[in-house]
Amino acid sequence: MISVIIPIYNAAPYLRRTIGSVLRSAFEDLELILVDDGSTDGGRSICTEYAKRDRRVKVLSQENSGVSTARNRGLEVCRGEWVVFVDADDCISPDFLTLIAGEEDADLLLFDFAGSEEALTSGPRTEKVLRYGPADMPGLAERILAPRQLRENGHVNFRSSNGKAFKRTIVQRRGLRFSPELSYGEDKLFNLEYALQAENYTYFPVPAYFYETHSGSLSQSLPPELLSVFMLLMEKLWAVLDEAGQFPAMEGAYAEFALNFIEHTLNNLIFNPSNPNSRQERYSMCARLHRSPVCHWALKRNLRYGHLQRKVHLLAFDLGWYHAVDALCAFNHARRRKRGSCLPK
């Protein structure tokens, strides 16, 4: 059996498509766990409708507590050999679960994200499966910290828990859960914790998961506590590596992640054009980030890693030249204006 967990919060316009993509799967031995996270748009009634129609559908309900808590509720009750996470506005290919069911020996399965919903059912579906053993696991952990594809033209989203299949026995034996304290980056933390427990993984280089982008994303809302969340994520990733005894081996990958993330925070949070704070308030946010122990540690390694543009950007930040950082971020936003949302969901 495969357990599919869908956390749901005010996603009624997409919900029928998402649920339908799971229930129409060619693989039928599944349980679909719909966790309503306090929706106010009628989404729960849609979930109940499907549960009445199909015995494989189970509906859980909770007060609005966030996606991590919703996923954790699903993990508490799921019974499948494999666990799959799907967001309430996304959809999967008809053969996604079938491909998962055919695997027995791997601890983790990775799939490509599709560039369009049509790509889920078009093109070749028989690309050679790539298998990786224990010696490859450090490389997977590094990719979660600093993503790079497993092959040319690959589309694995290493930061997301979607488009993957996790062994329930590993999740439950290790007590792995999503961190409710994080409203951003909780997937990356879960993936890293899981990868450090897994012994092997398999990659299916076929588009199996479509990720819907639309307005109302994190980049549009910019909650004031997001800086604290960003800093907490950096600390938690450090702690996971340290507790697993992997930090010395992963120091370079973690430094690359932290430096990228600091630049990401400057560009897409502090100096995001959507940030309503005054210039002085933004500079205060810079100073707060600068005081973070993890940030301080990473900035000492700035000149060792990465490309020149980031080195210059973070050197200005490290020197406290926040006006220069402001100007560089404005330039970056002007250059990327047509790319859409800066922050992934």
Side-chain angles (χ1 to χ4, degrees):
M1 177 188 285
I2 297 175
S3 299
V4 181
I5 299 173
I6 303 181
I8 299 164
Y9 179 71
N10 289 351
Y14 307 92
L15 204 46
R16 293 184 188 279
R17 183 191 67 173
T18 302
I19 295 174
S21 76
V22 176
L23 296 181
R24 287 192 300 270
S25 172
F27 182 76
E28 297 184 352
D29 186 16
L30 63 93
E31 62 173 358
L32 176 56
I33 302 172
L34 306 175
V35 186
D36 176 51
D37 187 32
S39 296
T40 59
D41 65 347
R44 177 168 172 75
S45 63
I46 296 175
C47 295
T48 303
E49 173 190 328
Y50 277 94
K52 289 178 179 178
R53 255 194 272 159
D54 194 317
R55 61 178 178 76
R56 298 175 297 173
V57 179
K58 176 182 292 186
V59 180
L60 305 178
S61 184
Q62 63 183 34
E63 293 185 3
N64 181 236
S65 305
V67 65
S68 291
T69 302
R71 286 174 176 160
N72 291 342
R73 282 287 307 280
L75 288 174
E76 289 168 7
V77 303
C78 67
R79 299 175 293 118
E81 178 185 357
W82 292 101
V83 178
V84 171
F85 299 101
V86 177
D87 284 352
D89 51 357
D90 298 341
C91 52
I92 63 173
S93 68
D95 61 351
F96 181 35
L97 301 184
T98 302
L99 293 171
I100 293 171
E103 281 293 314
E104 296 182 356
D105 298 328
D107 289 341
L108 174 66
L109 309 181
L110 308 178
F111 295 81
D112 279 344
F113 273 44
S116 67
E117 188 174 350
E118 293 69 29
L120 294 174
T121 54
S122 64
R125 309 293 298 178
T126 56
E127 291 278 358
K128 182 180 178 181
V129 174
L130 305 178
R131 303 183 189 280
Y132 301 84
D136 302 303
M137 297 314 295
L140 176 61
E142 289 176 356
R143 282 177 165 84
I144 294 169
L145 292 170
R148 66 184 190 280
Q149 290 300 320
L150 291 163
R151 67 163 198 165
E152 188 177 359
N153 299 321
H155 295 285
V156 177
N157 187 340
F158 291 96
R159 66 173 175 253
S160 173
S161 60
N162 301 327
K164 298 171 182 61
F166 303 89
K167 275 283 180 68
R168 184 177 64 88
T169 52
I170 295 176
V171 172
Q172 305 297 26
R173 184 172 67 244
R174 298 297 182 178
L176 301 180
R177 294 295 186 269
F178 291 87
S179 175
E181 301 167 284
L182 298 175
S183 58
Y184 177 82
E186 69 283 349
D187 288 36
K188 182 185 285 284
L189 181 63
F190 181 89
N191 290 351
L192 181 62
E193 288 184 286
Y194 187 95
L196 293 174
Q197 302 299 331
E199 295 184 359
N200 53 62
Y201 67 100
T202 296
Y203 169 40
F204 293 84
V206 294
Y209 190 98
F210 176 64
Y211 157 96
E212 180 73 44
T213 57
H214 52 85
S215 61
S217 66
L218 188 60
S219 60
Q220 273 73 51
S221 56
L222 292 173
E225 71 276 8
L226 198 54
L227 179 60
S228 296
V229 172
F230 280 13
M231 293 163 63
L232 181 61
L233 174 61
M234 289 196 293
E235 293 169 5
K236 281 182 171 290
L237 289 167
W238 177 305
V240 165
L241 290 172
D242 191 44
E243 289 169 10
Q246 294 297 315
F247 193 86
M250 296 285 176
E251 180 175 326
Y254 181 83
E256 183 70 23
F257 154 75
L259 292 167
N260 278 335
F261 205 62
I262 293 167
E263 185 181 42
H264 171 90
T265 303
L266 295 171
N267 274 314
N268 299 323
L269 174 63
I270 297 176
F271 294 109
N272 190 312
S274 299
N275 188 342
N277 291 330
S278 68
R279 177 171 294 181
Q280 189 56 48
E281 288 171 329
R282 295 182 186 202
Y283 290 179
S284 294
M285 292 174 74
C286 283
R288 185 178 163 205
L289 176 63
H290 208 163
R291 290 193 296 270
S292 163
V294 173
C295 180
H296 182 71
W297 176 91
L299 289 172
K300 285 185 176 181
R301 291 152 178 81
N302 177 37
L303 299 182
R304 293 191 213 169
Y305 301 100
H307 53 83
L308 180 61
Q309 180 181 326
R310 191 186 70 192
K311 289 178 181 177
V312 171
H313 197 173
L314 295 189
L315 179 60
F317 173 69
D318 195 24
L319 293 172
W321 296 351
Y322 300 150
H323 59 291
V325 176
D326 191 350
L328 287 168
C329 289
F331 173 77
N332 288 337
H333 278 285
R335 200 172 53 169
R336 301 186 310 181
R337 194 170 295 153
K338 295 183 179 180
R339 295 187 184 180
S341 173
C342 295
L343 291 176
K345 70 177 178 182

